[in-house]
């Protein structure tokens, strides 16, 4: 057993780290402040192949493994968690289900556009009354000739106002409960598609989160993803992979907390010496570093298990649970190490503190991850 990244993975890490340091980090605070979507960064990322990381080369992507994908999301999130989540959703919640469940026509039509970043992807599952309990969704889809007519409201959709290709879920058979849910590939230009309110949030402010409203939205029959009734299965399996992305985002945020804390504690002097000389600070740094390392290996383990074609729901849930709680804990410690300065917008840790919390909520709350883990152990 070799616990080491391979040469290609190391190369990707170096390339994305350099890119993030030069092009993502310097504008992250400004985008957060202005709540501005990272359009320019996404264009540059597309040129590097980062918007089609997992898309097979025959459809214009880089065709990389899931560990490489995790590395990309960690390195981008280390500098900007908003850009990290947009990239994660685009790749694992939109490109992946099309690769896995799409027809050849759907793959040819949508994957090259996603890989080139010509359109950004979004995933619309959550509804006002269906969050953790996704099976309770009320959006309906009725086949009428060669079109589905879709009605309903989705909420909290990452990239909602910006996305051109959206994977959505709707009920096609009310009597069949979760087996009556179907998935569709929707374009924002379809008649009846509307962006609703854009939320003001605690963190990841540059990622744009909105409602999506479907009023007699017309979706061509050939845009059904999988078969009718496959939607719930598609959503759950997609979210398993998505959780590897969010866990990677959490590792990136936590690593940034550690980076900032090491630098600050070495230069901030109190009682005539750098605060890094105090054991209280050293222990916080040691605890952060240990949990980050453990989180990263849990992510790599989930990614590796996925790439082996094995079941990885439990591994992904463990990685997401532990990494997200590590991100929040690291952010709390990082602000503490920065003292009063850490509570101001002058310092990056203030943003990291706000950005960290969401990793415990989206793509399944920590409570839901514990349900997935215990469910797989107690069956
Ligand atoms: C910034 C942001 C971006 C998002 N992006 C997307 C997106 O792109 N696409 C998308 O579809 N969704 C997205 N979401 C939605 C997100 O996935 C949901 O918010 C999340 O799944 C929780 O659902 P909820 O908010 O309705 O909370 P609820 O489900 O109402 O949960 C409230 C609380 O109850 C707990 N709870 C619920 N059920 C149980 C249970 N059975 N046992 C124990 N505790 C339970 C939860 O853990 C939580 O603590 C996003 C949300 C946010 C805030």
């Amino acid at each position: 057993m070799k616990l080491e990244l391979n040469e290609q993975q190391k190369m990707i890490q170096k390339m994305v780290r350099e890119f993030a340091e030069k092009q993502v980090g310097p504008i992250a605070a400004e985008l957060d402040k202005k709540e501005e979507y990272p359009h320019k960064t996404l264009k540059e990322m597309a040129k590097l192949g980062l918007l089609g990381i997992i898309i097979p080369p025959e459809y214009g992507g880089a065709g990389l493994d899931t560990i490489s994908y995790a590395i990309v999301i960690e390195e981008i999130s280390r500098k900007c968690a908003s850009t990290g989540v947009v990239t994660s959703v685009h790749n694992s919640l939109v490109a992946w289900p099309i690769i896995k469940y799409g027809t050849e026509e759907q793959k040819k039509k949508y994957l090259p556009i996603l890989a080139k970043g010509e359109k950004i992807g979004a995933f619309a599952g959550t509804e006002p009354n269906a969050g953790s309990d996704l099976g309770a969704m009320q959006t309906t889809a009725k086949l009428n000739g060669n079109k589905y007519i879709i009605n309903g409201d989705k909420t909290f959709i990452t990239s909602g106002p910006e996305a051109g290709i959206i994977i959505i879920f709707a009920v096609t058979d009310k009597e069949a409960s979760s087996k009556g849910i179907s998935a569709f590939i929707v374009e924002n230009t379809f008649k009846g598609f509307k962006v609703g309110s854009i939320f003001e949030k605690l963190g990841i402010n540059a990622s744009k989160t909105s409602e999506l409203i479907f009023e007699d939205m017309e979706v061509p029959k050939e845009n059904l993803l999988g078969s009718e009734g496959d939607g719930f299965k598609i959503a759950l399996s997609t979210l398993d992979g998505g959780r590897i992305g969010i866990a990677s985002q959490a590792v990136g945020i936590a690593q940034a907390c550690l980076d900032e804390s090491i630098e600050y504690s070495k230069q901030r002097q109190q009682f005539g010496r750098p605060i890094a000389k105090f054991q209280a600070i050293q222990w916080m740094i040691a605890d952060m570093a240990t949990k980050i390392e453990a989180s990263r290996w849990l992510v790599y383990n989930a990614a590796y298990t996925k790439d082996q074609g094995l079941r990885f729901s439990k591994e992904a849930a463990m990685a997401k649970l532990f990494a997200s709680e590590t991100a929040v804990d690291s952010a709390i410690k990082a602000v503490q190490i920065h003292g009063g300065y850490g509570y101001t917008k002058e310092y990056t840790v203030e943003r990291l503190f706000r950005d960290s919390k969401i990793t415990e909520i989206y793509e399944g709350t920590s409570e839901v991850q514990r349900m997935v883990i215990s469910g797989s152990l107690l069956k």
Side-chain angles (χ1 to χ4, degrees):
M1 186 182 188
K2 202 171 172 201
L3 285 175
E4 201 188 356
L5 298 180
N6 66 30
E7 286 312 309
Q8 190 189 42
Q9 291 159 348
K10 283 184 198 163
M11 223 175 64
I12 304 276
Q13 189 177 49
K14 183 168 176 290
M15 184 266 283
V16 183
R17 188 169 291 171
E18 282 172 9
F19 169 77
E21 275 166 9
K22 275 201 201 109
Q23 306 214 34
V24 182
I27 56 168
E30 197 190 339
L31 293 184
D32 170 67
K33 193 171 170 190
K34 293 186 180 161
E35 302 189 3
E36 195 177 309
Y37 197 71
H39 288 289
K40 237 177 87 187
T41 314
L42 291 169
K43 281 209 169 77
E44 293 304 316
M45 288 175 67
K47 286 185 203 155
L48 295 174
L50 303 180
L51 297 189
I53 316 165
I54 56 162
I55 296 176
E58 61 266 35
Y59 304 107
L64 295 178
D65 63 321
T66 311
I67 293 185
S68 301
Y69 163 68
I71 290 169
V72 170
I73 303 298
E74 177 187 336
E75 293 300 333
I76 297 292
S77 303
R78 187 173 176 180
K79 292 297 169 189
C80 176
S82 293
T83 309
V85 70
V86 168
T87 312
S88 179
V89 168
H90 181 88
N91 278 287
S92 56
L93 297 192
V94 183
W96 187 82
I98 297 177
I99 297 166
K100 172 83 178 165
Y101 300 103
T103 61
E104 194 50 38
E105 287 68 34
Q106 290 170 343
K107 290 181 197 181
K108 278 192 188 137
K109 181 167 181 190
Y110 291 111
L111 293 177
I113 297 173
L114 290 167
K116 284 190 218 135
E118 286 169 1
K119 289 186 179 173
I120 295 297
F123 175 96
T126 306
E127 294 184 3
N129 294 316
S132 301
D133 184 11
L134 205 55
M137 71 176 63
Q138 288 162 358
T139 295
T140 56
K142 287 200 175 77
L143 189 59
N144 185 359
N146 59 358
K147 281 182 180 154
Y148 282 95
I149 306 298
I150 301 188
N151 281 286
D153 296 344
K154 297 289 176 180
T155 195
F156 295 144
I157 307 309
T158 299
S159 296
E162 307 290 344
I165 299 173
I166 306 102
I167 304 288
I168 74 139
F169 299 86
V171 177
T172 40
D173 181 358
K174 215 173 166 190
E175 306 306 313
S177 67
S178 67
K179 290 211 169 88
I181 293 173
S182 302
F184 301 87
I185 307 172
V186 163
E187 296 179 36
N188 65 340
T189 49
F190 285 175
K191 192 166 166 255
F193 177 97
K194 249 176 59 185
V195 174
S197 305
I198 301 174
F199 293 94
E200 288 183 14
K201 311 191 292 287
L202 173 69
I204 56 162
N205 286 327
S207 68
K208 295 272 182 203
T209 314
S210 77
E211 296 173 332
L212 294 180
I213 299 164
F214 314 137
E215 284 170 354
D216 288 331
M217 178 171 67
E218 295 179 7
V219 178
K221 193 177 165 192
E222 62 268 20
N223 278 37
L224 175 72
L225 185 61
S227 304
E228 268 197 25
D230 281 351
F232 197 62
K233 182 187 79 182
I234 292 175
L236 294 192
S237 63
T238 301
L239 286 169
D240 279 342
R243 283 167 191 162
I244 297 177
I246 300 307
S248 309
Q249 184 201 24
V251 175
I253 295 170
Q255 182 64 49
C257 291
L258 180 62
D259 299 339
E260 297 293 329
S261 299
I262 290 174
E263 198 185 317
Y264 185 79
S265 63
K266 286 207 269 192
Q267 52 97 358
R268 172 70 176 167
Q269 302 258 341
Q270 285 295 279
F271 297 96
R273 67 185 75 172
I275 61 168
K277 295 283 178 199
F278 302 127
Q279 197 180 51
I281 303 291
Q282 293 165 358
W283 285 22
M284 280 196 269
I285 290 197
D287 287 348
M288 282 159 83
T290 306
K291 284 190 187 172
I292 292 166
E293 197 66 16
S295 301
R296 189 175 286 119
W297 284 113
L298 281 173
V299 171
Y300 290 170
N301 178 53
Y304 178 80
T305 308
K306 178 169 189 268
D307 284 342
Q308 298 310 299
L310 302 169
R311 273 205 66 105
F312 66 97
S313 306
K314 181 187 73 182
E315 287 74 11
M318 284 178 165
K320 201 233 176 213
L321 174 64
F322 194 78
S324 61
E325 294 192 347
T326 296
V328 171
D329 184 50
S330 300
I332 291 170
K333 287 189 167 76
V335 170
Q336 194 66 18
I337 289 170
H338 282 67
Y341 295 98
Y343 202 68
T344 72
K345 291 194 183 290
E346 298 290 302
Y347 282 80
T348 305
V349 292
E350 183 269 347
R351 172 166 49 88
L352 296 170
F353 185 84
R354 290 184 287 104
D355 286 352
S356 65
K357 182 60 197 170
I358 190 60
T359 62
E360 291 183 329
I361 296 173
Y362 53 22
E363 299 197 27
T365 61
S366 291
E367 292 73 28
V368 167
Q369 306 310 322
R370 288 186 166 91
M371 281 160 58
V372 172
I373 297 163
S374 59
S376 87
L377 295 170
L378 297 170
K379 64 183 174 199

